């Protein structure tokens, strides 16, 4: 669910932009640096946040998950550029590359892919998901409990 008062922005990767070079996967010359995210207007009852990055255009039949992070305190209104893979401030699951934390775009050559960065407002202080489990468990807990979500979408394309 999307709430029109809940919004997310990024200096490094604004909505409707091309993913910043540093955020790309190393195979494309990037450093998989997660973008800065700032959010406002979280709904009443928010007790924590989660962040996800999803490529719905990946040729997998189910998209591709680049980032799943949760247990971000309700007092937070942003994440800095370059969240470390190991952080005491939040939990992170292994993404579809099989690595903990954020990994940037590395699409096959062809049409542009969309990268949807979402901040999810949650009614719980802790999600209770185990970061060592497959990320589907954390995503299920996030999506079934969220009070609202705010999205920004960037694109990236590898020319044929």
């Amino acid at each position: 669910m999307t709430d029109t008062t809940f919004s997310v922005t990024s200096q490094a990767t604004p909505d409707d932009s091309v993913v910043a070079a540093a955020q790309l996967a190393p195979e494309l010359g990037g450093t998989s640096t997660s973008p800065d995210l700032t959010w406002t207007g979280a709904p009443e009852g928010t007790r924590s946040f989660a962040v996800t990055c999803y490529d719905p255009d990946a040729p997998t039949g189910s998209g591709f998950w680049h980032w799943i992070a949760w247990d971000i305190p309700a007092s937070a209104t942003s994440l800095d550029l370059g969240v470390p893979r190991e952080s005491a401030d939040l939990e992170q699951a292994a993404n579809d590359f099989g690595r903990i934390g954020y990994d940037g775009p590395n699409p096959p050559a062809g049409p542009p892919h969309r990268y949807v960065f979402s901040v999810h407002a949650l009614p719980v202080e802790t999600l209770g998901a185990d970061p060592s489990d497959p990320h589907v468990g954390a995503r299920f807990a996030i999506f079934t409990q969220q009070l609202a979500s705010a999205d920004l979408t960037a694109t990236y394309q590898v020319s044929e």
Side-chain angles (χ1 to χ4, degrees):
M1 100 186 26
T2 300
D3 179 331
T4 57
T5 61
F6 187 32
S7 64
V8 60
T9 59
S10 173
Q11 294 294 315
T13 304
D15 196 32
D16 294 326
S17 69
V18 174
V19 173
Q23 291 160 14
L24 298 175
E27 295 83 357
L28 295 177
T31 56
S32 284
T33 300
S34 62
D36 62 299
L37 299 172
T38 300
W39 54 90
T40 60
E44 188 173 325
T46 299
R47 297 184 62 205
S48 70
F49 295 98
V51 170
T52 57
C53 178
Y54 174 67
D55 171 3
D57 303 312
T60 64
S62 60
F64 197 91
W65 292 91
H66 289 262
W67 197 14
I68 308 93
W70 65 93
D71 288 358
I72 301 163
S75 59
T77 57
S78 65
L79 289 177
D80 291 335
L81 186 70
V83 171
R85 292 187 188 275
E86 300 293 326
S87 174
D89 298 330
L90 50 81
E91 296 287 351
Q92 298 180 89
N95 56 42
D96 281 343
F97 287 107
R99 297 183 290 260
I100 298 292
Y102 173 81
D103 272 299
N106 187 14
H113 283 230
R114 293 168 290 159
Y115 298 89
V116 182
F117 292 89
S118 302
V119 177
H120 309 269
L122 302 171
V124 293
E125 275 186 44
T126 182
L127 197 59
D130 186 339
S132 64
D133 288 345
H135 63 72
V136 66
R139 289 188 299 104
F140 181 83
I142 291 165
F143 285 94
T144 58
Q145 296 184 68
Q146 70 182 0
L147 300 170
S149 65
D151 305 326
L152 70 82
T153 302
T155 60
Y156 192 77
Q157 178 178 15
V158 173
S159 299
E160 294 189 53

